[in-house]
Structure formats: C-alpha cells, structure tokens
Amino acid sequence: MSTIEPASSEPASSESTTRSLPCVHCGLATPCGEGTDPQTVFCCNGCLGAYQLIHGWGLDDFYALRDQVSSTAPDQVRSDVTRFNEFDREEFLGRSKPVDQPDGRKLSNLAIHGLHCGACAWLIENAAGRTPGWESARVKMSDHTVCVSYNPVEIPLSRIAALLSKLGYEVAPLTEVPDQHFWIENRRLLTNIAVAGFCAANAMWIAIGLYAGEAWGIAESHRIYLRAFGTVLGIVAVVFPGRTFFAGAMAAIRTRTPHMDLPVALGLSVGTLAGAVNAVTGRGEVYFDSLAVLVFLLLLGRWIQFRQQHRAAQSVDLLMRITPQHARRVNRDGTNDLVPWQRLTTDDQVLVLAGESIPVDGKVLSGDSMIDRSLLTGESRGVAVTEGDSVAAGTVNLMRPIEISVDAIGQETRIGKVMQSVEAAAITKTPIVQLADRIGGVFVVTVTLLALATFLFWSKESVSVAMGNATSLLIVACPCALALATPLAIAVAIGRSAKRRILVRDGQTLQHLSRGDTIWFDKTGTLTEGRMRAEFVHGNRDAFAVAASVEAHCVHPIAEAIVRAAKQQGLVIFDQAELCGIEVGGVVGRCDGRGVYIGSLGFLRSNDVTIDTAMLDAINRCLDHGTTPVVVAIDGQAEAVLTVTDNIKPDAIRTISELTKRGWQVGMLSGDHPAIVDRVAETLGISKENALGGLSPEDKLECIKKAQPGQVVMVGDGANDAAALAAADVGIAVRGGAEVSLQAAPVFISSGHLGSIVELIDGAKRTRWLIIATFAVSLGYNVVAVALAMTGYISPLVAAVLMPISSVSVLALTLLCPIFGKQSS
C-alpha cells in the first residue's frame, strides 16, 4: 500500500511547473507539481488524517454527499491536528510518557475527559481496533484514564489524541494531583447543569403562563411572544448543554458502534424538530419546556453517576490501601509537617515514627531501626536498617524513628509498580464482561427499532402522542448500567481484597474461584510453618559439622535448620567448605578436599553412595515418627542421619476443613518423603489418595495438567512452585514477596495466613452473585421501562427521571454489598 503525503506548503522552485489541485478532503486549492495524482492531494496533515479515518472505516459516501450539498469548497481549512503535536513530546507528557515494550509497541496512560458510562469505554476500544497502528485501548472508568497501546512506526500518539477528540473525548497527560482531571470534569458537568437548569426554570414559567392563558384567555400577541421565547430557551438547552449527547451520537455513527447517546440524541432531535415546526406554524405543542427540563434531568443523572464512579475509584485505589496517604516532611529548621504524599519531591526528607508505614522509596539518613518487609520480600522477621540502607514504601518501621531521603513516590515506588499490575485486573475483560458488552450493543439497536415501531403504532392516534411515547422510550432505555455492573463489581472486589492483604492480579480469577473443584497445596512452607528444626539422630557428629559447613552456603529452609542446629550444639563451621551444586533431593559440596552429599535417601542412592544397615534403620525410625530424614555422605559413604521437622500451621486444619465443606476436593503435592506426606495428610484430614510425596517440580506440574479440565487451584511458594502455579487455572502464592509471586501466580496472600484463601473464595462467590444480581436489576429495569414507554404510561420527563436510577441502583448495590463480610469497605 502506497503512502499518501500532504502536498508541500513550500513555494515551488523556479525550474518546476506548478498547478493547483483541490484537496481530496476539503476541496481547498493546493499547489503541487505537474504529474501529481489528483487522488493524492491533501492541503495539510489534518485533511490527510480525516480522509484516512473516513476511508478506513468505509464511509466514503461522505464525499458523494458533500459534493451533492455544495459544489464549492470552503475558503480555508484549519488543521486541528497541529494542536495535538505536543503529545509527541516527552516533556509535555510527564507521567504519561510512553513506555517501550519488548515487541516494539509503546504504552501510555492518559487522563480522558467526557466519559460518563461503560458505552463510552466501549466506543473508544472499538475505535482502537479500527485504526491501523493503534493496537488497543483500555479505558478505566473508575478514575477516567485510558491506557493506549500503539506502534509508533505506524501512528504517533498525537494522531490518537486527535482521533479521540473527533470522537468527543479530550485527553491530557496525567498530573501529579490524581484528582485534578476529576475536578475539571466535575466543573464542566456542573456548568452544563447550571445552563440547562436556567433554561428549564424559565421555560417552565413560560409554559405556566401559556397554560394559564389557555384556561383564562391570553392576547394572541402575548401567546406568540411566549411561544417564541420558550422556543429559544429550549433550543439553547438542547444545542449548548445538550450537545454532549449529540457528540456521543455522532461518534457512535462514525465508528458504527451502538452508544447510549444515540437514542437520547434521536429523542431530543425528534422533540426539537416537532416543536420548532409547531412554533413556526403556530399550531400544536412546542415541547420546549419539556425538552429543557429533559436535558437538565439527563445531565443531572449523568453527574450523579460520575460522582458515584469517583467514589468507586477511591474504594479500589490499591496503592491508597497499602501505603500511607500522608508523610512527615522534614523542614530545613528541623521541624516537620504532615503533608499528602503527592506533594513530596525527590529533594525532600521524611520522618517515619515507630509503628508507621513508610510512604516512599528512599535511603535512611539517620536512625537505626527494624523494618517489616513481608509485603515485598516475604520475610517474616524484621530486618535491621541503619544509615545508608535502602527502604521501600509499604514496609513498616518497627522500633525507632528514622529519617529517609525520598527517591521515589506513588506509582514510581516498587510497591506502586506492583499495584499497577494488580489494578490492571479491574479493567480485565472477563467472559461475562464481554457478554454484557455484546448485550448492550444489541440493546441499543433494538431500542432504536422499538422506538420507530412505537412511533408508527401511536401515530394512528396522534403524531404528538406517538412522538412523546417514542421519545420516552429512547430516553428511558439506557444500557449504561449493563456495561457498568460487571467491571465495577470486579474492581470493588479486587480493592477490598487488597485491603485484607490479598492481591489479585487477574479479574478472571474471581470467576474460577467462585466454582468449587480441585485445590492442591504444597506442603513445606504452605501447610507447614516453613521454619524447620534439625536434630542429630545417628552416626558421626563430625559429619554433622561438615554438613553444616556446606549448607551454610545454601539459602533453603532445611539448610538454615541444619546450620542453626550445628551452632546451637557448638559444632565448628569449616571455612574451607564449598557448595558445588543444588540438585533435586539434595546438594553436593566439598569440605577439606572431600566430596560431600547431603539429601534424601533417593538422592544419595542415585549418586552411588554406600548406606549400611544401621543407617537404614535410623532413616526408617525418622519416617515412623513422621519426620524428614537427611543423610550426610562423605567420599561415597553415608556417615550421619539428621532429622528435620516442620510444624503444621495453626490454621491449616481449619482451612482444609472449611474448603471441604464448600465442595472443594483438597490434595497435597510435596517433594518430601511419601511417608512424611501421609502423616501430615492424616493430621490435616486429606485423603491418602490425594497426598502425593516425593515429587519434583516437573512432577507437580504434571499433576496439575492431569487434573484439568476443571477449575484447578494450586497453593504454594511464589518462587519454588512457579511452574505449577502458572499452569493451574488459579495460582495462589502464600510465601515470598509480591514482586516475585505475582509473576508466577495471579493471587498473592502477603499475610501468609491460609484462612485468607477461604475468605477469598467466599468473596469470589459473593462477587459472582453480585454480578448476577446487578445484571438482572439493570436488564429487568430496562425491559420494564421499555414496556411502560411503548404502552404510553410514562412521559419524557418521567423517563428522564427514571433513566439514571438503574445505574445508581447498580452502584449502590455494588458499594454496599459486603463482599468480604461486614468489615469490608
């Protein structure tokens, strides 16, 4: 496909012959060289962009219609594209600076103004799919932002911004004050409501005068004057504050995407046209009092929805729930002020008292303390920090006050970046969301056809009645709540789970968890404490010291237990020991020139280690007592047997029992000896058939695959069980840190409490029922409202009052529903 470029605006050289050809889009005479193809002449990039948009969407009939209406071109054309050129400058974009992706695409998050319902999001996302180079758009209704993914080689960000403007939505870079765009949009809506309210109030007073005149008599000149003045007020209300509905309708027509503004604009157009005709002819009703009040009530309902959505956005702001919203900024004179974290800069210093959460990423300037880093790293014990050490937002200062220099705030912090990946789940299009979108589109088309049928049916009685009933139908049948119900319920559920330290990365996870099937648990560190205790059982104690010397170079719960036990017994840790390798079932090392193998019986046998009868007896005694035997071999000969025990978590038995009651089939996958696994399973109430031991990571993965199809959940370590967690329909990580765990599993329980799994499953079920309930309410409301409008039981004014009720009902049900019990908020 050849590339079409706009004609150059530079003067032609004296050697070249020039001529003027009309711009393909606007018709403006454009200088170009001899031999130029007339079909490639564009006066500016604005006309080129408009032509590509119209041609790409198959709307070329526009040009035929234009030529029929007017045979002359406009005298001058203003290119709107140039005002969007700033979007290609990183300095202008600030926080909206595009982020490079591995495949060459770019992502940019922008604030977007003019959104009012799910249909708006739907329209923008459809436009992205129809535009070459614009890969996708994800609209987040809760905070009025859009994430655009595009190929910079094919389309610049400025052209996307221009296209969104044509659709009736203005985009702007994100600001340091997250609520700024909300207040701008709020002010715009209130201004429109004020103008509409002024027109409606005065139009109603004029209508009262006309009605009184009909009853008591009125001079014809006064009657004409009042009708004319009322007509002007009605037209002002429809054309100025009511233009937002027509902008949405035109955008729907351009993109061939059904939009709720389409029937509203059609209803206003029918009423305005009929009223204007009656005003000019002096016969019939002018309707402009009703139209002005109608616009006022529609805008008022839209504003109520807008405010409720902002409240919903605050309820799902995950970063707000994890980190403090204020910080003690240290002044130059040594005093400190409590300020919102948004006002901090990288030049500031903050004071964090004992027991407070750290609000920023930075370095300790003064003070010594201990911090709890469990949210980020999974460490259950406090970590000492002193001057020069780095600390992260979301961690907790445990002991003494510390001063911190600010390196990053908000979404630029480590936890902020994690929360961004989690918040993306709030706009994930799960199958039920896609179903709601499809129903919403069909509903808009159906309503428009039903309005036409209603007009034709009632026109036999009276054109005035027919028009009123059709207008009522177009106004009251708003599919906004249908599009709003599901994503809002998912967003609120994710936000409330985050408050309970349960991070959900994928919205579809809630759907899987709402239907009970099979759930597998890793044993060590998941069902058990993960803090092991080692004891010497049999053999040479010097071998115990050698084992501790090698294990000192390994980071693993069993290694830590062996080293800790050796130190407690006063054994010498040899400096010359080294760790040569970590394999499935054990480790290989060297100490003082001797080869050392430490691990399970199977591991030692696979390495041709000789094990005498006394050693085998000691191993069997460990297994009989339900503990894990660890064999130490030096130079190919088993020298000592150690035992490692790991206590079961206090809430493990209750969690397994609760899951079984809820219909889940519970199983256990472990790399530990099968006899140990059986003993733990018996304690927990898990059947032996579902307690599998001696498994490698590959074996665990195979077990997960065999259990599918069906809803399969895997609960384990975010790092050690990564393959099994990723292969399951839902992976739940209960150990490790948020950054690593959320890469392997869509759910991370930062508290490590198994009871949170039951909470999450119950919350998922309530979320599913909430979606069904809100979906039924919105769909049932629309069906009843349409029936009432078709049968003539509601007027356009009543329709305008009823229209926002469905959306407000959905918002109220969602925000008031106790998804995680009475304590959630």
Side-chain angles (χ1 to χ4, degrees):
M1 177 179 176
S2 61
T3 302
I4 302 176
E5 297 289 342
S8 172
S9 59
E10 297 295 326
S13 65
S14 57
E15 292 88 15
S16 62
T17 304
T18 63
R19 59 172 179 164
S20 294
L21 292 175
C23 172
V24 172
H25 178 68
C26 70
L28 181 68
T30 305
C32 52
E34 282 291 333
T36 301
D37 184 356
Q39 299 300 316
T40 64
V41 176
F42 294 92
C43 64
C44 64
N45 282 319
C47 287
L48 174 60
Y51 171 82
Q52 290 175 336
L53 178 65
I54 293 170
H55 176 71
W57 289 352
L59 301 177
D60 296 277
D61 290 344
F62 161 79
Y63 294 103
L65 178 62
R66 177 200 64 187
D67 295 336
Q68 290 175 11
V69 173
S70 174
S71 59
T72 60
D75 292 335
Q76 64 186 124
V77 175
R78 173 180 172 272
S79 172
D80 283 339
V81 173
T82 55
R83 68 187 177 98
F84 295 104
N85 287 344
E86 294 290 334
F87 281 86
D88 294 329
R89 293 177 53 244
E90 291 184 355
E91 298 85 357
F92 170 77
L93 291 174
R95 290 180 58 201
S96 294
K97 175 183 174 181
V99 179
D100 294 325
Q101 302 299 300
D103 58 1
R105 295 179 300 112
K106 288 192 174 185
L107 288 179
S108 178
N109 286 286
L110 300 164
I112 184 163
H113 307 291
L115 295 176
H116 58 268
C117 70
C120 295
W122 185 11
L123 180 67
I124 292 168
E125 289 166 0
N126 271 268
R130 295 169 181 263
T131 306
W134 187 3
E135 303 292 340
S136 66
R138 291 187 303 172
V139 177
K140 191 174 178 183
M141 288 296 302
S142 58
D143 62 0
H144 286 227
T145 59
V146 59
C147 176
V148 296
S149 171
Y150 63 100
N151 185 343
V153 177
E154 296 184 52
I155 186 171
L157 188 59
S158 57
R159 194 179 300 172
I160 294 175
L163 176 57
L164 288 171
S165 179
K166 290 180 181 179
L167 295 179
Y169 306 98
E170 293 296 328
V171 292
L174 297 176
T175 65
E176 295 300 326
V177 182
D179 280 347
Q180 182 177 354
H181 67 278
F182 164 78
W183 294 114
I184 293 173
E185 184 70 10
N186 187 66
R187 184 166 57 247
R188 186 187 70 83
L189 286 172
L190 288 176
T191 301
N192 283 340
I193 290 172
V195 174
F198 172 82
C199 294
N202 286 280
M204 287 299 293
W205 280 117
I206 291 172
I208 291 172
L210 288 171
Y211 296 147
E214 289 181 5
W216 303 98
I218 185 174
E220 184 62 22
S221 60
H222 291 171
R223 177 176 174 274
I224 294 173
Y225 173 77
L226 290 175
R227 284 168 64 91
F229 197 74
T231 299
V232 171
L233 287 172
I235 290 176
V236 169
V238 171
V239 172
F240 291 99
R243 69 186 181 278
T244 182
F245 303 110
F246 293 96
M250 290 302 297
I253 293 172
R254 288 194 194 105
T255 57
R256 299 181 181 180
T257 305
H259 189 286
M260 70 146 296
D261 280 346
L262 190 58
V264 172
L266 184 58
L268 292 175
S269 300
V270 171
T272 303
L273 182 61
V277 170
N278 291 342
V280 171
T281 60
R283 297 190 301 270
E285 298 294 334
V286 291
Y287 299 116
F288 284 109
D289 54 333
S290 299
L291 287 172
V293 174
L294 191 60
V295 171
F296 171 73
L297 292 175
L298 290 172
L299 290 174
L300 187 63
R302 180 164 293 186
W303 178 76
I304 291 172
Q305 292 181 42
F306 175 75
R307 296 285 299 190
Q308 290 289 340
Q309 286 169 359
H310 180 65
R311 181 187 169 195
Q314 292 179 322
S315 74
V316 299
D317 190 335
L318 304 187
L319 193 60
M320 182 186 296
R321 293 170 175 267
I322 297 297
T323 59
Q325 294 305 292
H326 293 82
R328 287 184 175 83
R329 184 173 59 189
V330 179
N331 303 317
R332 292 184 178 180
D333 60 3
T335 61
N336 61 81
D337 299 323
L338 197 63
V339 299
W341 65 262
Q342 294 93 338
R343 291 175 57 185
L344 296 175
T345 67
T346 52
D347 297 327
D348 287 332
Q349 300 173 13
V350 296
L351 174 67
V352 182
L353 302 180
E356 292 183 343
S357 182
I358 297 175
V360 298
D361 282 2
K363 289 185 174 60
V364 178
L365 292 177
S366 63
D368 298 319
S369 187
M370 301 281 289
I371 62 171
D372 177 1
R373 304 195 303 186
S374 60
L375 180 65
L376 277 172
T377 66
E379 296 169 281
S380 58
R381 290 174 292 176
V383 177
V385 292
T386 188
E387 184 176 335
D389 289 339
S390 296
V391 293
T395 58
V396 180
N397 181 24
L398 298 176
M399 294 182 63
R400 286 179 287 272
I402 54 175
E403 284 191 17
I404 301 169
S405 63
V406 178
D407 290 340
I409 62 171
Q411 293 185 343
E412 298 303 316
T413 62
R414 287 175 64 190
I415 191 63
K417 292 174 181 177
V418 172
M419 290 304 100
Q420 288 179 61
S421 68
V422 176
E423 283 186 324
I427 53 175
T428 300
K429 292 254 182 209
T430 60
I432 194 167
V433 176
Q434 296 167 359
L435 173 63
D437 284 350
R438 290 194 296 270
I439 291 176
V442 173
F443 194 83
V444 170
V445 176
T446 303
V447 163
T448 305
L449 295 176
L450 287 176
L452 178 60
T454 301
F455 180 82
L456 294 175
F457 177 81
W458 285 99
S459 60
K460 299 174 184 177
E461 179 179 326
S462 165
V463 173
S464 177
V465 172
M467 187 181 62
N469 292 341
T471 302
S472 298
L473 174 58
L474 291 167
I475 296 299
V476 79
C478 169
C480 191
L482 287 173
L484 179 68
T486 303
L488 181 64
I490 291 174
V492 170
I494 290 173
R496 291 179 178 175
S497 65
K499 187 176 182 180
R500 293 172 177 266
R501 300 176 71 85
I502 305 171
L503 304 183
V504 181
R505 191 195 68 206
D506 181 1
Q508 196 167 348
T509 295
L510 298 174
Q511 274 188 264
H512 289 305
L513 290 174
S514 65
R515 297 187 292 270
D517 204 331
T518 304
I519 183 167
W520 293 99
F521 284 86
D522 173 51
K523 180 181 76 69
T524 304
T526 301
L527 291 171
T528 61
E529 293 285 0
R531 182 174 174 80
M532 298 185 175
R533 184 167 57 89
E535 291 182 7
F536 179 78
V537 175
H538 176 77
N540 185 352
R541 282 189 173 273
D542 289 339
F544 188 4
V546 169
S549 302
V550 173
E551 295 281 20
H553 301 280
C554 179
V555 179
H556 189 277
I558 292 179
E560 292 174 357
I562 292 174
V563 173
R564 189 165 52 247
K567 290 180 177 179
Q568 289 173 352
Q569 295 186 25
L571 299 179
V572 178
I573 305 297
F574 301 107
D575 294 334
Q576 64 271 32
E578 61 177 320
L579 178 68
C580 300
I582 301 175
E583 301 178 17
V584 177
V587 299
V588 180
R590 295 192 66 80
C591 183
D592 197 21
R594 296 176 293 175
V596 180
Y597 291 88
I598 310 165
S600 66
L601 179 62
F603 170 69
L604 267 64
R605 283 177 170 170
S606 66
N607 285 281
D608 299 324
V609 171
T610 302
I611 305 173
D612 59 29
T613 304
M615 290 290 174
L616 290 175
D617 290 341
I619 293 171
N620 289 328
R621 289 199 305 273
C622 293
L623 295 175
D624 290 341
H625 287 86
T627 60
T628 302
V630 176
V631 184
V632 181
I634 300 176
D635 287 339
Q637 178 68 44
E639 296 286 347
V641 175
L642 312 177
T643 181
V644 177
T645 57
D646 187 11
N647 294 328
I648 294 173
K649 286 184 176 180
D651 57 348
I653 296 176
R654 181 178 177 183
T655 298
I656 300 300
S657 175
E658 292 292 334
L659 290 172
T660 304
K661 289 178 182 177
R662 285 161 174 76
W664 287 85
Q665 182 177 343
V666 183
M668 181 166 53
L669 305 175
S670 176
D672 212 341
H673 193 282
I676 305 297
V677 174
D678 287 344
R679 183 67 63 89
V680 173
E682 183 180 354
T683 304
L684 294 172
I686 299 174
S687 63
K688 287 189 177 182
E689 309 87 69
N690 293 327
L692 308 179
L695 303 179
S696 66
E698 292 78 11
D699 294 333
K700 291 183 181 180
L701 176 61
E702 193 61 30
C703 288
I704 296 296
K705 290 181 177 179
K706 286 181 179 179
Q708 294 169 325
Q711 305 300 316
V712 180
V713 178
M714 175 68 191
V715 183
D717 189 305
N720 295 343
D721 298 309
L725 289 169
D729 293 299
V730 178
I732 301 177
V734 295
R735 294 185 67 213
E739 292 173 302
V740 175
S741 299
L742 284 170
Q743 293 175 5
V747 179
F748 170 60
I749 299 176
S750 62
S751 66
H753 296 154
L754 294 178
S756 296
I757 298 174
V758 178
E759 269 193 295
L760 179 61
I761 288 174
D762 288 345
K765 287 184 177 180
R766 292 192 187 102
T767 302
R768 180 166 173 260
W769 283 110
L770 174 61
I771 291 172
I772 294 172
T774 52
F775 199 80
V777 166
S778 57
L779 187 60
Y781 162 86
N782 279 287
V783 170
V784 172
V786 166
L788 291 174
M790 291 183 70
T791 52
Y793 282 101
I794 56 176
S795 66
L797 288 183
V798 174
V801 174
L802 293 177
M803 190 199 76
I805 290 179
S806 61
S807 295
V808 173
S809 299
V810 166
L811 286 163
L813 281 173
T814 303
L815 295 176
L816 295 176
C817 178
I819 294 176
F820 287 95
K822 294 182 179 180
Q823 294 180 350
S824 57
S825 59

